[in-house]
Amino acid sequence: MNLNIAVLPGDGIGEEIVAQALEVTKAICKKFNHELTYKKALVGASAIDAVGNPYPEETHELCMKSDAVLFGAIGAPKYDNDPSAKVRPEQGLLAMRKKLGLYANIRPVTTFASLIHKSPLKDELINGADFMCIRELTGGIYFGRPQGRTEDGNTAYDTCVYTREEVERIIRLAYSYAKKRKNKLTIVDKANVLATSRLWRQVGQEIEKEFPEVETEYMFVDNAAMQLVQWLKRFDVIVTENMFGDILTDEASVITGSLGMLPSASIGIHTSVFEPIHGSYPQAAGKDIANPLATILSAALMFEYAFDLQKEGALIREAVDASMKEGVVTEDIATGKAYKTSEVGEWIVNYINNK
């Protein structure tokens, strides 16, 4: 198969972790006789610094022409610490999601036996946890309308807007995944307070009737946050709006042991994007110490979701599991010797080559 991917390292540690995921991708393609074509492009703070736009048109055109996008992370302190900045790296990510029609972010949350000791929760609460969070990506408060927020130092506002079409398509997608798993779906909202959440619940209750084989429950977001801490294993598929999904999946990732271990797939109308859920970690940029495993696992999702190459994705997961069992990991999860980002990537590539 011919694989044509766009590579967007982004900012901070993005260049280092994407480099390792790309090497793993090359190794897999060689192993399974696939032809790989890729091209790099700018996004985020690096794009602002170079051309003044966090998501340049050239980058968008490359993404549209590609079969998949392998993405790193965005964000830089000089923009985070400047409240008056008119252009921000995060605007590039939002623009990419909107222009590519990436309405659904798929975040699998699983536990790793070698990481359970890193969780703030007791072993019995998380051992064996395995669920999926489906986060709506192109609506809600992050894309508030009308645009043009008032920020005069005294008053600020953001608006949260959802349409029936946006809610229907993400809930239907969630049901399709629930049917492939354990036939259980949790729809998370704040319907007791927010009008947009009441729309989510109304649409959910309408669609629920079409899927009688799926156990459907509705949960307020504050209760869901508590349940993730108290009873993580009760969940199978969660679907929720943009901001709630952002917060809940970060919470879940830390509970399972490390933010640096969870991949994600953003899918929708055009080209899908595969990325780790963590940020750009600028403090570690250039030090070769960042954990590349979430990005490497995102490459596994890319093979599975974008190209329907299940064996290729499975071998990447096997290699990551093996590296963790052997203790070939970076300092954030190491219990003994800490390996460099590049060393972890090299070990995984060698494992793939020798299988």
Side-chain angles (χ1 to χ4, degrees):
M1 179 181 288
N2 293 322
L3 283 64
N4 177 28
I5 67 172
V7 179
L8 277 56
D11 307 321
I13 60 172
E15 191 70 48
E16 299 159 73
I17 57 177
V18 167
Q20 301 312 313
L22 185 57
E23 290 304 311
V24 169
T25 299
K26 292 177 183 177
I28 288 289
C29 287
K30 183 179 179 180
K31 186 80 172 179
F32 290 88
N33 298 313
H34 299 305
E35 188 71 31
L36 175 66
T37 302
Y38 68 91
K39 186 176 180 180
K40 291 186 177 181
L42 295 171
V43 69
S46 59
I48 297 174
D49 293 343
V51 299
N53 184 344
Y55 185 56
E57 186 58 32
E58 294 82 358
T59 299
H60 179 61
E61 290 177 1
L62 175 64
C63 291
M64 290 291 288
K65 293 176 182 177
S66 301
D67 300 319
V69 178
L70 186 60
F71 178 64
I74 60 171
K78 72 176 181 179
Y79 295 102
D80 295 340
N81 297 326
D82 182 6
S84 64
K86 301 301 182 184
V87 181
R88 297 180 179 277
E90 292 75 15
Q91 292 170 345
L93 181 58
L94 297 180
M96 179 169 64
R97 290 172 179 170
K98 200 73 172 179
K99 288 187 174 183
L100 293 179
L102 301 173
Y103 68 85
N105 184 235
I106 313 298
R107 294 187 173 185
V109 179
T110 57
T111 53
F112 298 87
S114 59
L115 274 187
I116 287 178
H117 70 284
K118 288 279 189 177
S119 173
L121 302 184
K122 296 178 180 178
D123 290 4
E124 60 267 25
L125 294 178
I126 64 164
N127 194 7
D130 177 8
F131 73 94
M132 174 183 290
C133 185
I134 300 177
R135 168 190 169 193
E136 203 288 324
L137 270 188
T138 58
I141 201 166
Y142 292 174
F143 292 93
R145 296 189 300 271
Q147 299 289 343
R149 291 168 283 181
T150 300
E151 298 185 38
D152 59 4
N154 298 305
T155 303
Y157 68 89
D158 298 281
T159 57
C160 184
V161 179
Y162 269 108
T163 66
R164 171 175 287 272
E165 178 185 8
E166 289 171 329
V167 179
E168 280 186 353
R169 69 184 178 184
I170 194 74
I171 290 180
R172 289 189 184 280
L173 182 70
Y175 271 110
S176 72
Y177 280 102
K179 289 175 65 178
K180 296 175 185 177
R181 291 173 57 92
K182 299 177 182 177
N183 278 325
K184 183 177 181 180
L185 177 64
T186 304
I187 300 176
V188 173
D189 60 33
K190 191 62 177 170
N192 58 336
V193 175
L194 301 176
T196 47
S197 281
R198 286 191 284 276
L199 176 63
W200 271 74
R201 186 160 297 206
Q202 177 186 341
V203 172
Q205 289 172 345
E206 293 170 3
I207 297 176
E208 175 187 355
K209 299 172 185 177
E210 301 175 24
F211 300 92
E213 71 278 21
V214 177
E215 177 190 348
T216 304
E217 65 175 349
Y218 300 85
M219 189 176 292
F220 295 148
V221 64
D222 44 354
N223 184 25
M226 291 188 292
Q227 295 277 358
L228 282 173
V229 174
Q230 294 177 311
W231 196 12
L232 183 66
K233 289 186 282 188
R234 74 179 304 282
F235 295 107
D236 186 54
V237 177
I238 295 174
V239 63
T240 190
E241 63 105 70
N242 205 338
M243 184 170 68
F244 296 164
D246 191 2
I247 296 168
L248 291 178
T249 50
D250 278 7
E251 177 191 8
S253 69
V254 172
I255 288 172
T256 55
S258 173
L259 184 63
M261 289 302 303
L262 294 189
S264 77
S266 296
I267 61 176
I269 300 170
H270 302 296
T271 315
S272 295
V273 176
F274 301 87
E275 60 180 302
I277 76 166
H278 59 69
S280 61
Y281 192 16
Q283 302 90 333
K287 297 180 180 179
D288 201 20
I289 60 173
N291 187 345
L293 294 182
T295 317
I296 292 171
L297 289 170
S298 295
L301 288 181
M302 179 180 69
F303 279 102
E304 294 164 345
Y305 283 75
F307 302 105
D308 195 24
L309 297 173
Q310 304 305 314
K311 291 182 180 178
E312 288 81 342
L315 181 53
I316 294 176
R317 297 178 195 284
E318 179 185 324
V320 168
D321 284 342
S323 74
M324 294 179 67
K325 289 176 182 176
E326 290 294 322
V328 184
V329 293
T330 46
E331 63 180 28
D332 58 312
I333 56 175
T335 55
K337 176 185 175 181
Y339 287 76
K340 295 184 180 298
T341 308
S342 54
E343 291 174 332
V344 173
E346 183 180 0
W347 193 96
I348 291 173
V349 167
N350 288 337
Y351 182 95
I352 291 169
N353 291 337
N354 292 325
K355 286 299 289 184

